[in-house]
Amino acid sequence: MRIVIYSMLVLLIAIQYPLWLGKGGWLKVYEMEKQVELQEAKNSLLALRNAKLAGDVKDLKDGTRAIEERARAEHGLIKEGEFFVQILPVDKSAASTEIKQ
């Protein structure tokens, strides 16, 4: 009788092994689901970046407004007839010495 019980126990363990640890087991499925979730999060961030870049490309192709904006921001260019005014922050140490004198 013990032999039958032990053999059944061994068969039960042998059947459970592929279910939990095999190629398509629960643990592998759980790991793969986590990887899929991480990849979907990365993909959504990349999709947002791609949409922004597509908008920039469309602006650059369709009009001069984006080009003008970049020239102003990156190179400090101004249009003809415009005045450029730059306000510098006051140096506190120099201001305090001027007040004392």
Side-chain angles (χ1 to χ4, degrees):
M1 188 69 169
R2 285 186 179 182
I3 295 174
V4 173
I5 292 174
Y6 288 133
S7 63
M8 292 292 218
L9 185 61
V10 168
L11 286 174
L12 180 65
I13 292 171
I15 291 172
Q16 291 293 314
Y17 176 79
L19 177 66
W20 292 97
L21 303 172
K23 185 177 180 181
W26 290 105
L27 295 176
K28 297 281 184 181
V29 169
Y30 179 75
E31 290 173 7
M32 294 297 274
E33 285 176 351
K34 291 295 181 186
Q35 289 178 358
V36 167
E37 288 175 8
L38 289 174
Q39 190 62 45
E40 286 176 347
K42 287 180 186 178
N43 288 350
S44 65
L45 290 175
L46 291 173
L48 290 173
R49 188 190 74 177
N50 287 348
K52 182 182 176 203
L53 289 174
D56 287 346
V57 168
K58 183 177 183 248
D59 284 345
L60 289 171
K61 283 183 179 180
D62 292 342
T64 60
R65 187 172 186 191
I67 296 170
E68 181 180 332
E69 180 181 335
R70 283 192 180 208
R72 288 175 182 267
E74 294 174 6
H75 303 290
L77 299 178
I78 59 173
K79 285 183 180 179
E80 189 174 321
E82 287 183 338
F83 294 102
F84 178 72
V85 177
Q86 183 176 9
I87 300 173
L88 299 174
V90 177
D91 186 18
K92 291 183 181 181
S93 63
S96 63
T97 58
E98 289 177 8
I99 293 173
K100 289 179 183 178
Q101 294 176 0

